[in-house]
Amino acid sequence: MSSADVILVGCTKTKRSTRAAARDLYDASDLFRRRRSYAETTGLPWGILSAAAGAISPETVLDPYDFTIARRMKTDEDPRGWAISSIQSAYRLAGRLIEEGLPDCSGDLTIEIHAGIDYVRTIELGLPAFPGTIELVHPVAGMMIGEQKAHYTVTAEPELAGQLSLAI
């Protein structure tokens, strides 16, 4: 089981075609559904890393969009701003509040990220802005999509682990 304070699940290119809560917007993607299932199974606070909106609550309602973290890195003059905002949101999602809605970003935080390496590298840009120690854990680092799907099947849905297909 994870020792993280909060889990952030990466958005995916495949989305519903209509406005929806973030937890549902990306569910057209099998990978996202597996990531979401894993996050929900842990019982930890979790959110979604949206290339467009940063780290958001699963209940945040979004319109479909066509924007990637790679595009953010190429076109955003200051991707560090997106990273800082996302880390602040991670503190908020973890329940670290000074007062209603205002995150207390002074303490240590462990963020488990289930997204591509570009998300991790972008979040790293914001780390120097915070006084506490922020640990980024990337359990699927180096895994191809099929390996990630198998990982989530084993960790979030162990009863299905024996049914894994080589076609994953």
Side-chain angles (χ1 to χ4, degrees):
M1 192 56 77
S2 175
S3 61
D5 296 300
V6 64
I7 294 175
L8 296 179
V9 173
C11 68
T12 56
K13 182 177 180 177
T14 306
K15 299 170 189 62
R16 288 185 178 193
S17 60
T18 58
R19 183 176 178 86
R23 73 177 326 118
D24 301 320
L25 183 66
Y26 309 100
D27 70 4
S29 164
D30 182 49
L31 178 60
F32 178 81
R33 286 192 312 274
R34 290 172 190 246
R35 287 174 174 169
R36 180 186 66 201
S37 177
Y38 167 78
E40 291 172 340
T41 299
T42 67
L44 294 170
W46 70 283
I48 297 163
L49 268 176
S50 162
I56 55 173
S57 163
E59 291 77 33
T60 301
V61 177
L62 297 174
D63 289 315
Y65 59 88
D66 183 19
F67 194 75
T68 65
I69 197 68
R71 190 158 132 205
R72 173 166 298 289
M73 290 297 288
K74 287 180 187 174
T75 62
D76 196 338
E77 289 183 19
D78 184 22
R80 186 173 172 265
W82 177 92
I84 291 169
S85 174
S86 294
I87 294 168
Q88 289 171 334
S89 292
Y91 273 100
R92 186 178 301 109
L93 288 163
R96 308 279 181 84
L97 304 175
I98 294 173
E99 56 186 61
E100 186 64 32
L102 184 62
D104 177 0
C105 301
S106 62
D108 297 345
L109 187 70
T110 300
I111 305 170
E112 185 173 306
I113 300 177
H114 292 266
I117 191 66
D118 287 347
Y119 282 93
V120 176
R121 288 187 178 138
T122 306
I123 291 289
E124 287 173 340
L125 296 174
L127 296 179
F130 296 89
T133 299
I134 300 172
E135 180 184 4
L136 302 181
V137 178
H138 191 215
V140 295
M143 290 185 192
M144 302 300 289
I145 299 294
E147 293 170 310
Q148 290 183 44
K149 288 180 180 182
H151 168 78
Y152 295 122
T153 299
V154 170
T155 56
E157 304 169 30
E159 68 280 359
L160 298 178
Q163 301 173 19
L164 285 177
S165 164
L166 295 177
I168 292 179

